[in-house]
């Protein structure tokens, strides 16, 4: 009897202790409870790399190009904690007068949450090329809709992108190449989007949350270590045909509708969005790029594992990069906006890559690729001003009284909108 | 001396209630999530609409502006179907799988 009572007492005190903790930490997330329950599970150690030492320096080569070496200097000098060890490509200055592509613009106001740099693009070329997955092999991929550098093709390298091509993204100051699977109408045509919105965003480098990678829980809610986009960085994000990568490597892709009779939403499939997107509206395909980088590689064999997405998986309610990808680069969101015209049978619309998995709904394979090739001077402008001064920069405004020019002939509607796929 | 005046079953019930209450409080909380679909979609639309308006006000976009960059040339037409010729075949397979949709005419 006595022993039985002791058992009840133990249970009672345990319950009381749990209640007390609940009162003290009413918002403790699940993992906090897991820790209480399991007795302080092991925590990840601090990143042990120190400035100028440790880590693996990886020399990245591209077909038909020479890789030159310049150790990354875009580090968190104000943190003194870690330094990326990537061997990035040497700066290739623009082969035109940068000032000739700048225009006066008023310095924008502050943003409240993240520094933002936004611009817009017209659709570019359509080809079955993929300079990341199938370098040097034209026609090997599914059909892609390109944006940005007009010269991007299967043979593109950082060097070729930086030294040639115009840009559908306002100005050749941004010779980066962006591409995603072409939208097909199911009747033998590619549907070209009217325009593509691109937003680069991040917390300013002075923000305590991006000063250092620290294991959770951290008073500064450490996300990682702010760094700039290294020259030559490239990656694929979104749907992974191998199915080998966890969600933190595939990110978020969704569909939306904008316009006078649209029902906005975060729709999972093209069909769901189209059901709320009558003719006369814009159908949007939106995808977020990863914001965490390993600091070592500009590309890797699977073209994904060197970057990842910040998640809430630390269990403390704030976003954090994983320890293997501790560097926080500006994240970009790409939205391709297509006219839904009278007479369109949107039930047939699908991405070219959807044809690889015919049992899945249209839109299932949404993914995108990015091959960076910014003019370094201009990239520093929007990084130093828009991002690091927490400005709300729009329309190519660089946050320093200047903005990128828009090329002559920008169009709000795709012309032609439908182009035939060669048989 | 009795340690408690409560009968055993009451004590058991009280302890269980305490534990259940604690368990409820400790229910796993999910990370801040996407609110609801409409809110996310509306917020995204406002952002892109603001960008569109800002582009319309851009110095290069004003009528008669000499602040625009050079015109660009884009070839909008694809010159191959992709997938080394498999694209068409796979397209048929895709259409078959989505049987509610009639296959495209050849």
């Amino acid at each position: 009897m006595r022993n039985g009572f002791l058992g009840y007492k133990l249970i009672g005190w345990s319950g009381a202790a749990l209640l007390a903790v609940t009162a003290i930490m009413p918002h403790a997330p699940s993992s906090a409870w897991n820790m209480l329950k399991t007795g302080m599970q092991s925590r990840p150690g601090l990143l042990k790399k120190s400035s100028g030492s440790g880590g693996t320096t990886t020399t990245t080569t591209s077909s038909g190009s020479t890789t030159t070496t310049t150790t990354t200097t875009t580090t968190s000098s104000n943190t003194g904690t870690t330094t990326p060890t990537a061997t990035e490509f040497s700066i290739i200055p623009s082969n035109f007068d940068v000032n000739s592509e700048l225009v006066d613009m008023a310095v924008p106001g502050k943003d409240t949450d993240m520094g933002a740099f936004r611009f817009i693009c017209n659709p570019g070329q359509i080809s079955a090329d993929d300079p990341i997955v199938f370098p040097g092999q034209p026609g090997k991929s599914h059909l892609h809709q390109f944006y940005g550098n007009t010269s991007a093709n299967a043979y593109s390298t950082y060097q070729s992108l930086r030294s040639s091509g115009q840009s559908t993204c306002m100005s050749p100051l941004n010779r980066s190449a962006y591409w995603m699977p072409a939208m097909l109408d199911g009747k033998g045509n590619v549907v070209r989007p009217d325009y593509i919105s691109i937003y680069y965003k991040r917390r300013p480098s002075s923000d305590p949350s991006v000063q250092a990678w620290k294991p959770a829980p951290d008073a500064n809610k450490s996300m990682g270590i702010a760094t700039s986009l290294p020259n030559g960085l490239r990656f694929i994000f979104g749907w992974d045909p191998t199915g080998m990568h966890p969600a933190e490597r595939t990110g978020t892709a969704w569909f939306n509708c904008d316009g006078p009779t649209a029902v906005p939403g975060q729709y999972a499939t093209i069909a769901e969005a189209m059901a709320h997107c009558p003719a006369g509206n814009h159908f949007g395909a939106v995808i977020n790029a990863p914001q965490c980088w390993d600091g070592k590689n500009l590309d890797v064999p699977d073209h994904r594992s060197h970057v990842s997405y910040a998640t809430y998986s630390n269990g403390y309610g704030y976003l954090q990069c994983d320890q293997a990808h501790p560097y926080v680069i500006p994240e970009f969101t790409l939205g391709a906006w297509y006219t839904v015209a009278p007479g369109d049978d949107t039930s047939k619309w699908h991405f070219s890559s959807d044809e690889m998995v015919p049992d899945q709904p249209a839109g299932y394979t949404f993914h995108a690729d990015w091959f960076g090739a910014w003019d370094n001077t201009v990239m520093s402008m929007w990084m130093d001003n828009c991002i690091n001064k927490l400005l709300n920069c729009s329309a190519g405004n660089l946050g320093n009284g200047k903005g990128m020019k828009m090329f002559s002939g920008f169009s709000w509607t795709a012309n032609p909108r439908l182009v035939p796929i060669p048989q | 001396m009795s340690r408690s005046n409560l009968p055993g079953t009451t004590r058991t019930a009280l302890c269980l209630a305490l534990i259940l209450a604690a368990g409820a409080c400790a229910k796993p909380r999910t990370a801040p999530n996407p609110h609801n679909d409409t809110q996310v979609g509306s917020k995204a639309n406002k952002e892109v609409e603001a960008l569109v308006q800002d582009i319309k006000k851009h110095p290069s976009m004003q009528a008669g502006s000499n602040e625009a960059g050079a015109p660009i040339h884009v070839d909008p037409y694809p010159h191959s179907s992709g997938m080394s010729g498999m694209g068409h075949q796979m397209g048929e397979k895709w259409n078959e799988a989505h049987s509610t949709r009639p296959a495209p005419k050849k």
Side-chain angles (χ1 to χ4, degrees):
Chain A
M1 184 72 181
R2 182 93 176 179
N3 287 343
F5 175 73
L6 281 174
Y8 287 133
K9 192 176 164 187
L10 191 65
I11 293 170
W13 278 112
S14 301
L18 280 169
L19 278 179
V21 174
T22 305
I24 296 166
M25 301 191 300
H27 301 298
S30 58
S31 69
W33 289 105
N34 290 337
M35 286 168 66
L36 286 170
K37 284 185 284 188
T38 59
M40 296 299 285
Q41 62 194 19
S42 62
R43 295 178 179 184
L46 276 169
L47 194 65
K48 293 228 165 61
K49 275 196 301 175
S50 60
S51 183
S53 66
T56 305
T57 300
T58 303
T59 302
T60 309
T61 56
S62 299
S63 60
S65 70
T66 305
T67 302
T68 49
T69 56
T70 302
T71 302
T72 301
T73 55
T74 51
T75 60
S76 50
S77 57
N78 49 352
T79 68
T81 50
T82 56
T83 305
T85 56
T87 302
E88 70 170 318
F89 291 100
S90 295
I91 291 173
I92 300 176
S94 291
N95 48 7
F96 54 85
D97 178 10
V98 169
N99 289 321
S100 72
E101 286 293 327
L102 297 178
V103 66
D104 291 338
M105 292 181 84
V107 175
K110 289 260 184 190
D111 210 321
T112 53
D113 184 24
M114 289 200 278
F117 174 63
R118 303 177 181 87
F119 55 92
I120 208 163
C121 313
N122 266 164
Q125 65 276 27
I126 300 166
S127 76
D129 290 1
D130 190 327
I132 293 180
V133 179
F134 299 113
Q137 301 174 74
K140 182 88 173 184
S141 177
H142 47 254
L143 270 185
H144 282 126
Q145 173 69 68
F146 283 78
Y147 319 118
N149 197 312
T150 57
S151 75
N153 61 26
Y155 300 98
S156 291
T157 62
Y158 175 71
Q159 289 76 9
S160 74
L161 292 172
R162 282 295 308 132
S163 54
S164 64
Q166 299 166 311
S167 177
T168 72
C169 295
M170 298 189 71
S171 162
L173 296 170
N174 180 10
R175 278 173 162 162
S176 302
Y178 309 78
W179 62 98
M180 57 187 272
M183 181 68 78
L184 310 183
D185 71 353
K187 297 177 178 177
N189 300 303
V190 172
V191 186
R192 299 172 72 232
D194 289 334
Y195 48 84
I196 298 87
S197 56
I198 296 181
Y199 319 139
Y200 285 85
K201 294 182 180 179
R202 201 195 62 198
R203 296 289 301 166
S205 59
S206 59
D207 189 285
S209 69
V210 289
Q211 298 281 307
W213 191 95
K214 290 183 179 173
D218 170 55
N220 291 324
K221 299 185 176 180
S222 162
M223 181 180 185
I225 309 148
T227 193
S228 300
L229 292 164
N231 298 330
L233 183 66
R234 53 203 182 276
F235 49 74
I236 306 172
F237 52 106
W239 175 70
D240 169 24
T242 68
M244 291 174 63
H245 296 100
E248 60 266 30
R249 298 247 173 80
T250 54
T252 309
W254 49 291
F255 304 99
N256 195 358
C257 185
D258 186 28
T261 57
V263 180
Q266 192 177 26
Y267 302 109
T269 67
I270 291 175
E272 285 176 45
M274 287 301 189
H276 300 89
C277 209
N281 295 296
H282 273 113
F283 165 80
V286 183
I287 189 165
N288 295 318
Q291 69 272 60
C292 306
W293 174 48
D294 68 3
K296 301 171 186 173
N297 299 291
L298 302 176
D299 192 11
V300 289
D302 69 3
H303 314 296
R304 293 173 181 266
S305 301
H306 55 321
V307 289
S308 71
Y309 290 82
T311 70
Y312 291 95
S313 61
N314 64 24
Y316 287 88
Y318 62 89
L319 273 174
Q320 187 171 38
C321 295
D322 64 272
Q323 193 178 8
H325 303 86
Y327 296 96
V328 187
I329 54 177
E331 170 192 6
F332 69 86
T333 301
L334 184 156
W337 297 91
Y338 303 81
T339 284
V340 181
D344 282 348
D345 180 0
T346 55
S347 70
K348 291 192 175 71
W349 285 27
H350 63 280
F351 286 127
S352 57
S353 49
D354 287 340
E355 297 180 357
M356 297 167 72
V357 282
D359 296 335
Q360 296 294 339
Y364 179 81
T365 66
F366 191 8
H367 65 283
D369 300 50
W370 178 72
F371 202 140
W374 275 93
D375 176 277
N376 285 79
T377 304
V378 169
M379 184 164 65
S380 294
M381 287 180 185
W382 61 259
M383 282 296 302
D384 293 347
N385 298 291
C386 302
I387 303 295
N388 289 335
K389 291 180 182 170
L390 204 63
L391 298 184
N392 183 14
C393 293
S394 184
N397 192 321
L398 297 163
N400 61 348
K402 296 287 182 186
M404 296 195 300
K405 277 186 177 177
M406 174 65 87
F407 62 85
S408 295
F410 177 86
S411 173
W412 289 107
T413 53
N415 183 23
R417 187 174 72 98
L418 303 177
V419 292
I421 305 167
Q423 297 300 311
Chain B
M1 189 176 116
S2 172
R3 302 292 297 258
S4 167
N5 293 326
L6 295 174
T9 49
T10 310
R11 282 201 305 265
T12 306
L14 274 174
C15 286
L16 283 174
L18 275 171
I19 292 166
L20 287 173
C25 292
K27 185 180 174 186
R29 288 168 170 79
T30 52
N33 170 353
H35 340 309
N36 78 46
D37 292 347
T38 307
Q39 282 180 347
V40 174
S42 296
K43 189 178 173 191
N45 284 354
K46 281 179 186 163
E47 189 168 15
V48 76
E49 286 163 11
L51 173 60
V52 165
Q53 291 308 311
D54 289 338
I55 290 286
K56 287 179 177 172
K57 290 182 237 165
H58 190 283
S60 300
M61 298 290 282
Q62 304 314 305
S65 168
N66 58 0
E67 300 274 26
I72 64 172
H73 171 72
V74 172
D75 178 0
Y77 295 98
H79 298 285
S80 89
S81 59
M83 304 290 273
S84 298
M86 291 174 63
H88 177 64
Q89 195 178 4
M90 296 191 76
E92 284 186 341
K93 194 176 171 189
W94 195 88
N95 277 312
E96 279 170 22
H98 294 69
S99 54
T100 55
R101 304 163 192 185
K105 289 178 183 175
K106 293 179 186 173

